[in-house]
């Protein structure tokens, strides 16, 4: 997920374990038990649905919102539908007003930020004939589904590249907020690096931002001043990789292909591709097969991948990453397969076992090799 407000992190972890159904790579899964009490029937088929998207930012951010907007464009092109977009809607009371207005004149309303969950849930209960799609949340209704992707698979791959190109074994990572989505992504990145270079450490600092280039650059500089020679970041802006480029340090971005912002020192980054999900979901509404549920797409589904590798990344590193990408796609590599040990030396995943989706989505600990604190 994404755009998760720090204030709801603890609640998310508790409720997810107690209420959420197992995640799936199908949009036609059963609704989580916590939402089953709604009792209304799912909306009927709509041949030419009116669709609206609500964005936390603007497509020009070059990251999270940009990729959702690219997904919208793909959906429009493939299905011949022109959607409405509403930009820069904050996560709060104003979001509920926006959802209410859109529900009165649309058949499908899509919210692209975790903080929209409660406002959307409230509005969805009042409009049972409108379908609501919510990015990264955990609450569903017969007319409200959630969707997310396994970005950690992509993070593992760029971690492999980072572990191969570092010279001094010190890698930096600017985290957004200390929430499960960001934590498990940093873990996956670190596990990827450790798979090719067991001597690395990953130093983490928090920006407590999603899109604030000035703050994110300062956080990046704090790591660069410590001597890291690879720098990754989990924000929407390219500020961190630009700071790295100024020091001639390898950089890894997030959400979208950020190579153009630091072409000489860019490695790659996890990249979203929401188009396949939007096409599938809207098409299922059109043909009357849509069902609620919790979608957790993978690289195999095309929801997430890595951006093209930078022009100066060594050929052998590119080849290794591509090999591991193939292994993830065919299921021979699972990012969170044990043994996995945390910072304190506690075994979190036994050898031969794999983390469940619920365990992944409620991660609140760092793996061994990460230097940094997760604020409580």
């Amino acid at each position: 997920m994404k755009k998760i407000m720090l204030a709801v992190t603890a609640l998310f972890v508790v409720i997810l374990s107690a209420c959420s159904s197992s995640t799936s790579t199908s949009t036609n899964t059963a609704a989580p038990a916590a939402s089953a009490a709604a009792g209304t029937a799912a909306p009927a088929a709509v041949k030419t649905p009116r669709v609206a998207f609500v964005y936390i930012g603007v497509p020009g951010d070059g990251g999270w919102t940009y990729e959702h907007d690219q997904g919208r464009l793909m959906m429009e092109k493939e299905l011949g539908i022109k959607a409405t977009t509403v930009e820069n809607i904050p996560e709060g009371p104003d979001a509920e007003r926006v959802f209410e207005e859109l529900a009165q004149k649309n058949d499908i309303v899509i919210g692209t930020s975790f903080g929209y969950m409660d406002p959307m849930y409230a509005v969805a209960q009042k409009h049972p004939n409108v379908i609501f799609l919510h990015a990264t949340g955990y609450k569903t209704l017969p007319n409200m589904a959630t969707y997310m992707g396994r970005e950690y698979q992509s993070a593992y791959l760029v971690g492999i590249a980072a572990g191969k190109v570092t010279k001094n074994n010190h890698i930096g990572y600017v985290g957004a907020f200390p929430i499960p989505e960001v934590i498990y992504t940093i873990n996956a990145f670190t596990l990827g690096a450790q798979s090719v270079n067991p001597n690395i450490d990953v130093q983490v600092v928090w920006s407590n931002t999603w899109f604030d280039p000035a703050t994110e650059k300062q956080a990046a500089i704090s790591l660069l001043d410590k001597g890291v020679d690879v720098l990754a970041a989990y924000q929407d802006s390219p500020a961190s990789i630009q700071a790295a480029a100024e020091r001639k340090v390898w950089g890894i971005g997030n959400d979208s292909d950020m190579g153009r912002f630091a072409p000489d020192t860019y490695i790659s980054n996890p990249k979203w591709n929401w188009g396949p999900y939007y096409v599938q979901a809207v098409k299922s509404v059109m043909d009357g097969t849509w069902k609620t549920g919790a979608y957790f797409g993978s690289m195999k589904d095309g929801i997430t991948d890595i951006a093209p590798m930078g022009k100066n990344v060594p050929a052998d590193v590119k080849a290794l990453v591509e090999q591991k990408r193939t292994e993830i796609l065919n299921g021979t590599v699972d990012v969170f397969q044990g043994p996995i040990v945390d910072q304190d030396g506690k075994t979190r995943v036994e050898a031969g076992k794999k983390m469940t989706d619920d365990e992944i989505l409620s991660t609140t600990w760092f793996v061994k090799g990460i230097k940094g604190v997760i604020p409580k």
Side-chain angles (χ1 to χ4, degrees):
M1 94 354 134
K2 182 75 172 162
K3 306 295 177 263
I4 303 179
M5 298 172 65
L6 182 59
V8 302
T9 300
L11 179 62
F12 170 50
V13 173
V14 172
I15 293 179
L16 179 67
S17 299
C19 301
S20 179
S21 67
S22 296
T23 49
S24 169
T25 56
S26 170
T27 54
N28 296 330
T29 58
S35 302
T40 55
V46 182
K47 290 186 177 180
T48 308
R50 298 163 296 172
V51 183
F53 286 76
V54 181
Y55 296 152
I56 188 71
V58 296
D61 68 2
W64 176 256
T65 298
Y66 171 80
E67 288 299 341
H68 281 283
D69 200 56
Q70 291 298 299
R72 172 189 66 83
L73 293 172
M74 178 179 174
M75 182 274 296
E76 289 182 341
K77 181 178 180 180
E78 293 202 16
L79 302 181
I81 295 172
K82 180 64 177 177
T84 297
T85 60
V86 185
E87 303 174 356
N88 267 334
I89 301 303
E91 299 168 319
D94 197 45
E96 184 168 344
R97 175 188 61 80
V98 171
F99 287 129
E100 177 63 36
E101 291 177 357
L102 292 173
Q104 294 176 20
K105 50 190 175 183
N106 289 280
D107 303 296
I108 305 172
V109 179
I110 301 170
T112 63
S113 184
F114 182 93
Y116 293 156
M117 180 173 65
D118 288 335
M120 177 178 278
Y121 190 84
V123 174
Q125 290 177 302
K126 295 187 292 184
H127 296 274
N129 293 321
V130 177
I131 289 175
F132 294 82
L133 306 177
H134 178 234
T136 77
Y138 56 86
K139 290 185 178 181
T140 67
L141 291 164
N143 64 323
M144 178 176 165
T146 64
Y147 63 101
M148 182 52 174
R150 301 176 190 273
E151 188 185 23
Y152 63 82
Q153 295 176 323
S154 306
Y156 182 85
L157 294 175
V158 294
I160 289 173
K164 291 291 290 184
V165 302
T166 180
K167 301 297 184 184
N168 64 15
N169 296 331
H170 300 306
I171 297 173
Y173 203 116
V174 183
F177 291 96
I179 56 176
E181 177 193 338
V182 181
I183 295 167
Y184 69 66
T185 300
I186 297 174
N187 282 345
F189 172 86
T190 303
L191 291 171
Q194 290 173 341
S195 73
V196 296
N197 185 347
N199 297 317
I200 66 99
D201 61 62
V202 176
Q203 301 178 52
V204 176
V205 298
W206 303 100
S207 67
N208 294 310
T209 64
W210 292 120
F211 186 81
D212 184 338
T215 298
E216 291 150 20
K217 185 171 184 178
Q218 285 304 309
I221 290 173
S222 73
L223 289 169
L224 293 165
D225 286 345
K226 293 180 180 180
V228 301
D229 66 352
V230 181
L231 182 66
Y234 197 107
Q235 287 89 21
D236 296 346
S237 87
S240 292
I241 64 171
Q242 289 173 322
E246 291 173 3
R247 301 281 187 94
K248 298 185 174 5
V249 167
W250 290 108
I252 296 169
N254 195 47
D255 290 331
S256 185
D257 183 356
M258 292 188 172
R260 65 189 182 279
F261 297 108
D264 293 331
T265 55
Y266 178 71
I267 295 178
S268 180
N269 56 252
K271 180 184 182 300
W272 291 109
N273 179 24
W274 298 108
Y277 171 77
Y278 289 142
V279 170
Q280 179 186 1
V282 175
K283 188 175 185 300
S284 69
V285 174
M286 297 170 70
D287 60 27
T289 61
W290 184 87
K291 293 180 181 179
T292 191
Y295 175 87
F296 198 14
S298 64
M299 282 180 56
K300 190 173 183 179
D301 299 328
I303 295 300
T304 182
D305 208 330
I306 59 172
M309 304 289 282
K311 64 181 183 180
N312 290 326
V313 175
D316 64 322
V317 175
K318 293 180 180 179
L320 177 60
V321 170
E322 184 57 34
Q323 174 191 331
K324 294 301 179 181
R325 178 178 178 275
T326 299
E327 292 175 2
I328 288 176
L329 290 172
N330 64 28
T332 57
V333 167
D334 186 289
V335 173
F336 292 120
Q337 180 167 331
I340 299 176
V341 178
D342 69 14
Q343 280 179 318
D344 299 323
K346 178 182 177 181
T347 298
R348 293 285 185 162
V349 186
E350 299 287 347
K353 294 187 177 181
K354 302 175 182 178
M355 292 180 72
T356 66
D357 286 349
D358 282 352
E359 288 171 340
I360 293 169
L361 293 168
S362 59
T363 302
T364 57
W365 46 269
F366 275 150
V367 299
K368 183 180 180 180
I370 294 179
K371 294 182 177 181
V373 176
I374 300 175
K376 303 299 182 182

